[in-house]
Amino acid sequence: MKAAELRKKFIDFFVSKNHAEIKSAPLIPDNDPTVLFTMAGMHPLVPFLLGAPHPAGKRLVNFQKCIRTGDIEEVGDKVHLTLFEMLGNWSIGDYFKEHAIKYSFEFLTSKEWLGLDLNKLAFTVFAGNENAPFDEEAYNTWLSLGVSPNKIAKLEANWWGPAGTTGPCGPDTEMFYWTGSEPTPEIFDPENPLWVEIWNDVFMQYNKNEKGELEKLEHPNVDTGMGFERVVAVLNGFDSCYDTELFVPLFEALDKFRGIEKPSERTSEERIIIDHARAATFIMAEGITPGNKDQQYQLRRLIRRMLGEGHKLGLAQGFALPIAEKVIEMFQVYYPELAKNKEHILATFEMEEKDFSKTLVRGVQMFEKAIQEEKNVQNGVLSGLVVFDLAQTFGFPKEMAVMMAEEKGLKVNLKEFDEAFKHHQDISRGASAPCGLADKKEETTALHTATHLLHQALRTVLGTHVEQRGSHITAERLRFDFSHPEKVSVEDLKKVEALVNEVIQKDMPVICEEMTLDEALQKGAIGLFANKYGEKVTVYSMGDFSKEVCAGPHVTHTGILKSFHIMKEESSSKGVRRIKATVGFVKENA
């Protein structure tokens, strides 16, 4: 099925069910200054999901452009995208679970619409926990439609939200499609990667209050999201979004510029170039220019990473222009702002490329100087902090530094770089909070403190093999990646959550001490990324429970966190699990 046909079928189907089609909202949110980009189809509709009447009515449908930069380092594989589109339908206080599920089922299986084989579909529903019951209505609705019980998994992870520490939330049901070449398994295993999630119906039936309690909403809502690029790939038998018609013309434009025939296999460098050029084109179509703060910084980061990959491939100047022109040509019918701002987009690419040429010269000089200093290179490994400083100070791409290091027989401490970058993101996010949002910085600080408690609780429950592999903190939630070979059981997650809450309830003081790294390690502090902070390090302790080397902001005592709740546990990559969690929050001066 062609991408345009899928897009039209989705809209037509829900219009036939009395949904009003609404326009895609801008990539820059106009109702939420705490985030840089629109990250999901429901994001622009939050005020209406919270009770404000929508001018188009109670039933809505659209396709929404979205940007996510949190996983930018993962782009280059076959699945990660910076810019993507979501197909979504909403019921704002109108129909609920039964109607939503039946609509999804009809669209997926009816010959008039997608006509998918029911045998290749599987579903998940909320299993229930101590806060909310098993979603029996969703489960029974799927059964009534002829779905085998073997193809429905009950998972506690099937819970959405709230977006912040309070607000609308509820169970969800996810739809999966079998992409394997072998016969469809009789029993659905949601951990099998050949089962690909294609759609999610969220049932917002509760409001989480400031006490962490769930209250039933008077008018529950339905919010659904279907990943456009992913579904196009699945419907056409591809295991990569980049193999679809949404990306192939962009690769062809690059090939033509290079004067080469289509290669047998696309490289990660090529995928990064195409993805970043595409995303940057959409961002610039909204009038954003590259700079050093917020959306402007993320735009420059995308462009420079793209240019760095082009340099590695030996591409001549101007390679981004034909890609951008093709993006505009392909998508302007849906997003007219692309054509409207074409001159701005192309001129900005040209200007950034010229600036990047100067950056390369200066960055190479600073790189050569840095590796001559003995403290920066230990046992053939270049400090990741040096590479981070080059990126921050001179805009010199990490990938370029890694390539140059390899040419000299050196490796780069990428773990050190990643931690320095994540730390910079957290600090920048707090420091750049808009006027009137000072409390958001306090909430970020509370969540950062909670990552220390979560880290130690995981090591206590699962074992000391658990090590932090990354984190991302917004004002609403924390995301914590850690080494662990398998899915964490619900029982162990409950133990972890209870352990963190126990420390919070004890209201332990958070003690900050400065010492050498050796002293910190001798005292039992966790110091996985400590060597990026210099000879002296700061150690944060919470009673005898947690002791960790860190330079981030912390609360003064654990009771400020009020409560801790794990929202979701999932796979991040091979051997790495991811937890998303939130905390209750009490202002320090309250």
Side-chain angles (χ1 to χ4, degrees):
M1 181 179 290
K2 295 289 186 182
E5 185 181 358
L6 171 62
R7 192 193 300 271
K8 186 175 187 303
K9 277 183 177 288
F10 188 89
I11 299 297
D12 287 350
F13 174 81
F14 283 100
V15 167
S16 76
K17 305 298 183 184
N18 301 315
H19 290 62
E21 182 182 0
I22 58 175
K23 291 183 178 180
S24 177
L27 283 173
I28 314 303
D30 58 4
N31 60 11
D32 189 350
T34 66
V35 296
L36 297 180
F37 296 105
T38 295
M39 297 183 293
M42 56 74 61
H43 199 164
L45 292 172
V46 167
F48 309 106
L49 297 172
L50 290 172
H54 195 287
K58 294 185 175 183
R59 295 185 175 203
L60 309 172
V61 62
N62 83 340
F63 49 85
Q64 172 65 48
K65 54 185 174 177
C66 306
I67 288 276
R68 291 183 187 170
T69 57
D71 294 330
I72 190 174
E73 295 293 336
E74 303 299 324
V75 173
D77 61 14
K78 292 186 175 184
V79 296
H80 282 88
L81 300 173
T82 305
L83 173 102
F84 61 96
E85 294 182 82
M86 292 291 285
L87 302 172
N89 63 284
W90 294 269
S91 166
I92 302 176
D94 190 0
Y95 62 82
F96 202 43
K97 294 181 185 179
E98 182 179 1
H99 276 77
I101 290 174
K102 286 183 175 179
Y103 286 154
S104 297
F105 184 82
E106 181 182 352
F107 182 71
L108 290 172
T109 62
S110 170
K111 297 297 183 183
E112 183 182 356
W113 304 106
L114 296 193
L116 298 181
D117 181 357
L118 176 56
N119 186 51
K120 288 193 171 187
L121 292 171
F123 312 88
T124 59
V125 297
F126 179 57
N129 56 29
E130 66 275 13
N131 298 314
F134 160 57
D135 195 347
E136 188 173 4
E137 182 180 355
Y139 182 79
N140 287 337
T141 302
W142 287 120
L143 290 179
S144 73
L145 295 169
V147 177
S148 165
N150 290 337
K151 292 293 180 65
I152 308 175
K154 303 172 184 177
L155 303 178
E156 191 172 347
N158 276 63
W159 184 267
W160 181 90
T165 54
T166 61
C169 55
D172 61 36
T173 183
E174 297 170 337
M175 288 146 268
F176 292 76
Y177 185 77
W178 177 251
T179 61
S181 56
E182 59 270 30
T184 311
E186 291 296 323
I187 299 178
F188 170 44
D189 175 12
E191 289 291 306
N192 187 332
L194 293 177
W195 284 106
V196 176
E197 182 189 344
I198 57 174
W199 205 353
N200 185 14
D201 289 356
V202 177
F203 308 121
M204 289 180 279
Q205 63 188 97
Y206 299 101
N207 179 65
K208 186 178 180 182
N209 63 26
E210 293 182 353
K211 296 180 180 179
E213 300 166 338
L214 297 181
E215 306 167 331
K216 284 195 174 183
L217 287 174
E218 184 179 353
H219 301 291
N221 307 307
V222 174
D223 158 37
T224 87
M226 176 183 276
F228 182 56
E229 293 86 355
R230 180 182 292 187
V231 176
V232 171
V234 165
L235 291 178
N236 289 282
F238 297 121
D239 65 354
S240 169
C241 298
Y242 293 98
D243 292 333
T244 69
E245 61 177 301
L246 295 170
F247 292 90
V248 168
L250 306 182
F251 284 109
E252 290 175 344
L254 179 61
D255 292 342
K256 184 177 180 181
F257 176 86
R258 300 171 71 183
I260 65 170
E261 296 293 326
K262 177 186 174 182
S264 58
E265 187 172 340
R266 295 296 178 184
T267 65
S268 61
E269 291 87 356
E270 290 172 318
R271 286 192 286 265
I272 291 171
I273 288 170
I274 295 301
D275 171 89
H276 287 12
R278 181 176 183 255
T281 298
F282 268 81
I283 295 171
M284 288 188 286
E286 301 201 5
I288 303 298
T289 56
N292 297 318
K293 188 177 180 182
D294 297 338
Q295 292 96 346
Q296 293 181 316
Y297 169 75
Q298 294 297 340
L299 173 58
R300 174 160 286 165
R301 183 180 171 210
L302 283 167
I303 293 175
R304 291 201 168 177
R305 188 167 187 244
M306 174 202 73
L307 293 172
E309 296 299 318
H311 183 82
K312 286 165 63 176
L313 294 178
L315 300 185
Q317 285 195 8
F319 70 86
L321 299 184
I323 303 172
E325 288 178 330
K326 182 59 71 172
V327 170
I328 294 169
E329 176 190 321
M330 291 172 61
F331 293 95
Q332 62 183 338
V333 64
Y334 305 111
Y335 302 106
E337 61 272 19
L338 288 165
K340 181 181 177 182
N341 291 287
K342 181 176 180 178
E343 288 186 12
H344 161 69
I345 294 167
L346 299 181
T348 303
F349 270 127
E350 285 187 305
M351 180 177 64
E352 283 296 298
E353 192 161 24
K354 289 177 183 177
D355 288 345
F356 183 71
S357 297
K358 299 175 185 176
T359 295
L360 278 183
V361 173
R362 185 168 44 174
V364 168
Q365 292 174 343
M366 298 307 297
F367 176 86
E368 295 289 350
K369 182 179 179 182
I371 63 173
Q372 298 304 316
E373 297 186 31
E374 187 176 336
K375 65 177 182 179
N376 292 331
V377 182
Q378 299 292 329
N379 299 319
V381 179
L382 175 63
S383 166
L385 188 56
V386 168
V387 177
F388 175 75
D389 286 341
L390 286 171
Q392 285 302 113
T393 307
F394 303 104
F396 194 68
K398 176 192 77 174
E399 293 78 12
M400 290 293 299
V402 170
M403 182 182 72
M404 291 174 62
E406 290 175 347
E407 289 174 351
K408 295 182 179 296
L410 300 174
K411 292 183 178 181
V412 174
N413 189 330
L414 294 177
K415 182 188 292 186
E416 193 176 57
F417 175 92
D418 291 341
E419 276 305 302
F421 179 74
K422 288 182 173 65
H423 175 68
H424 168 76
Q425 277 190 311
D426 292 343
I427 298 301
S428 297
R429 188 175 291 108
S432 63
C435 182
L437 290 172
D439 288 346
K440 293 298 183 185
K441 185 176 180 181
E442 291 185 41
E443 290 167 10
T444 303
T445 299
L447 284 160
H448 176 81
T449 307
T451 63
H452 287 246
L453 297 179
L454 173 59
H455 192 185
Q456 184 56 53
L458 287 166
R459 289 168 66 88
T460 301
V461 173
L462 302 178
T464 54
H465 65 279
V466 169
E467 291 184 350
Q468 180 179 346
R469 287 291 181 262
S471 67
H472 179 256
I473 299 172
T474 69
E476 288 79 26
R477 60 101 181 107
L478 66 86
R479 189 183 76 197
F480 189 83
D481 294 353
F482 59 98
S483 55
H484 190 59
E486 59 191 9
K487 182 177 178 63
V488 183
S489 69
V490 173
E491 182 180 356
D492 281 342
L493 286 175
K494 288 180 179 178
K495 290 179 182 178
V496 169
E497 189 175 83
L499 196 52
V500 173
N501 279 307
E502 181 180 338
V503 177
I504 290 173
Q505 295 307 314
K506 288 181 179 179
D507 199 16
M508 295 177 174
V510 179
I511 306 299
C512 175
E513 300 173 277
E514 186 175 275
M515 61 189 75
T516 67
L517 176 59
D518 286 341
E519 289 172 339
L521 297 178
Q522 287 173 9
K523 290 186 176 183
I526 298 175
L528 300 178
F529 315 109
N531 55 343
K532 74 172 182 286
Y533 297 127
E535 294 183 9
K536 288 281 188 178
V537 297
T538 49
V539 177
Y540 285 87
S541 304
M542 289 167 252
D544 58 357
F545 182 75
S546 170
K547 190 185 296 287
E548 194 162 344
V549 176
C550 185
H554 295 72
V555 299
T556 57
H557 52 103
T558 62
I560 289 172
L561 305 186
K562 195 174 181 181
S563 63
F564 175 81
H565 175 61
I566 294 175
M567 299 186 292
K568 194 168 188 177
E569 188 275 348
E570 59 191 355
S571 172
S572 173
S573 59
K574 186 175 181 180
V576 178
R577 304 298 298 181
R578 170 173 292 172
I579 280 179
K580 294 179 181 177
T582 187
V583 298
F585 178 68
V586 178
K587 295 180 183 179
E588 294 229 32
N589 58 1

